[in-house]
């Protein structure tokens, strides 16, 4: 009899966290590693948010919280959805969780049965596939390419649907590609989905405010998709609050109540101090964090300019998030400093060992021809990192 369950033995380790751990290990050996692997803003949480957390401590917020979140936080979420997304939700439709990742895990746990298929436009966020598999679902990858800015077309969506298709999960802006679906592109996907009324959509909008072109659209904005869409969001990225661990959903009431029930048996309510801080964050105008977005855009342009000078890096222009996702298949089959590059994983490890730069293989995101480079780092670090990469591949 195995000590560990088949469930954990068959689960992949998060590639982004694994690369970060490898980078920490090399730093511990005294190596000067530049980390461009984690999806974490390098800004501090804004002071006005931190002040509200300090106030909450002084006001003796220290008790268990309601499973689905404080009512005043849920009201702030409702206000945010209406203000930023033109979405109308009621209190029973909102569930606050310990990060958007828990939101996704809750959704999978309450909606998927054995054999249910979940469409994942590639590239997709690293944990989608394993969260689906953990809940007995079958992830179905829908391949895209840099030629379509890594966005799924309506024709691809239609071709991927089977009688077993239960859901479609996607992020916009996308992690890892930074791609942003326009309102017209989402409407075209919705036009396919309306023909299949039993398919539900998870719209992961955690990077919503890190948007360089404006005009963010939520799938739930379309009247014919509202009752079939679960909108996932949180404060980790736009407000530089990754460690505060607060995410939330707006969903059809039956699904939200099921997530509340599931969460009640797993973690119960999210952190009381963090919830109070998030009320302040969500009630603030998004313009209060625009300075971060402006800096990310400068860095994006810097990265694209520097990568454009390296042979074999084929990049599109991301419209959101803080990643570039260059196709580096030019190097497959080549030998660099005595090491043969067979795939993106080999290339990513080569950059870590030879250039001392941590990136993430595209294999982890369902695209084996690319690597993800995060530009949530200072301009000085970015310049030095890409200089090292250029030297390592020249």
């Amino acid at each position: 009899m195995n000590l560990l369950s088949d469930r954990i033995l068959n689960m992949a380790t998060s590639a982004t966290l694994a690369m970060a751990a490898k980078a920490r290990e090399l730093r511990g050996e005294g190596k000067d590693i530049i980390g461009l692997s984690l999806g974490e803003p390098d800004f501090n949480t804004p002071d006005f948010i931190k002040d509200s957390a300090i106030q909450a401590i002084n006001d003796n917020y220290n008790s268990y919280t309601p499973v689905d979140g404080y009512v005043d936080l849920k009201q702030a979420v409702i206000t945010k959805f209406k203000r930023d997304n033109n979405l109308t939700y009621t209190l029973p439709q909102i569930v606050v969780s310990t990060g958007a990742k828990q939101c996704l895990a809750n959704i999978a746990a309450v909606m998927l049965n054995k054999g249910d298929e979940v469409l994942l436009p590639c590239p997709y966020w690293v944990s989608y596939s394993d969260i689906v598999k953990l809940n007995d679902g079958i992830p179905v990858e829908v391949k895209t390419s840099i030629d379509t800015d890594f966005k799924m077309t309506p024709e691809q969506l239609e071709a991927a649907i089977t009688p077993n298709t239960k859901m479609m999960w996607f992020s916009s802006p996308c992690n890892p590609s930074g791609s942003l679906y326009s309102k017209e592109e989402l409407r075209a996907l919705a036009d396919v989905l309306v023909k299949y009324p039993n398919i539900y959509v998870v719209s992961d909008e955690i990077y919503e405010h890190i948007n360089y072109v404006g005009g963010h659209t939520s799938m739930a904005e379309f009247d014919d998709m509202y009752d079939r869409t679960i909108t996932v969001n949180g404060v980790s990225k736009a407000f530089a609050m990754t460690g505060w661990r607060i995410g939330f959903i707006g969903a059809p009431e039956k699904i939200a109540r099921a997530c509340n029930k599931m969460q009640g048996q797993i973690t119960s309510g999210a952190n009381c101090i963090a919830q109070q801080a998030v009320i302040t964050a969500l009630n603030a105008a998004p313009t209060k964090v625009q300075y971060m977005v402006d800096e990310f855009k400068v860095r994006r342009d810097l990265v694209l300019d520097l990568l454009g000078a390296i042979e074999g890096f084929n990049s599109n222009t991301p419209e959101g998030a803080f990643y570039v996702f260059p196709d580096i298949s030019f190097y497959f089959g080549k030998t660099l400093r005595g090491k043969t590059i067979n795939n993106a994983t080999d290339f990513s490890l080569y950059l870590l060992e030879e250039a001392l730069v941590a990136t993430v293989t595209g294999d982890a995101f369902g695209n084996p021809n690319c690597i993800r480079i995060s530009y949530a780092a200072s301009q000085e670090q970015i310049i030095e990192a890409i200089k090292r990469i250029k030297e390592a591949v020249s």
Side-chain angles (χ1 to χ4, degrees), residues 81-227:
F81 274 133
K82 186 64 178 176
R83 178 192 68 207
D84 300 342
N85 311 106
N86 196 31
L87 297 177
T88 301
Y89 290 112
T90 59
L91 287 170
Q93 292 180 277
I94 305 297
V95 179
V96 176
S97 301
T98 304
K101 187 182 281 190
Q102 186 181 20
C103 295
L104 295 167
N106 285 344
I107 293 162
V110 306
M111 293 193 69
L112 295 178
N113 288 310
K114 191 174 184 63
D116 286 341
E117 294 177 354
V118 178
L119 303 182
L120 303 178
C122 297
Y124 50 79
W125 182 53
V126 62
S127 292
Y128 287 174
S129 181
D130 275 279
I131 290 173
V132 168
K133 287 189 281 190
L134 180 62
N135 290 281
D136 292 326
I138 300 171
V140 177
E141 297 184 349
V142 182
K143 302 295 184 183
T144 69
S145 75
I146 197 168
D147 299 323
T148 60
D149 278 335
F150 300 108
K151 289 185 274 194
M152 179 175 64
T153 66
E155 293 76 21
Q156 288 178 305
L157 171 59
E158 183 104 49
I161 292 172
T162 76
N164 295 321
T165 304
K166 178 74 174 283
M167 305 185 80
M168 179 184 94
W169 289 24
F170 78 106
S171 60
S172 178
C174 175
N175 175 3
S177 69
S179 301
L180 179 70
Y181 284 91
S182 69
K183 186 169 187 174
E184 294 73 24
E185 288 166 336
L186 282 184
R187 181 64 257 178
L189 296 178
D191 287 341
V192 175
L193 292 168
V194 293
K195 295 186 282 185
Y196 303 90
N198 294 322
I199 298 176
Y200 282 74
V201 173
V202 168
S203 179
D204 180 350
E205 302 178 16
I206 194 72
Y207 290 93
E208 168 194 8
H209 292 305
I210 305 176
N211 176 329
Y212 310 123
V213 295
H216 175 85
T217 301
S218 299
M219 180 67 86
E221 285 183 56
F222 303 125
D223 290 343
D224 51 8
M225 291 302 299
Y226 175 83
D227 288 330

Side-chain angles (χ1 to χ4, degrees), residues 55 102 149 195 223 248 283 298 301 311 351:
Q55 186 62 49
Q102 186 181 20
D149 278 335
K195 295 186 282 185
D223 290 343
F248 48 83
N283 282 334
V298 170
D301 295 342
E311 183 182 25
L351 293 183

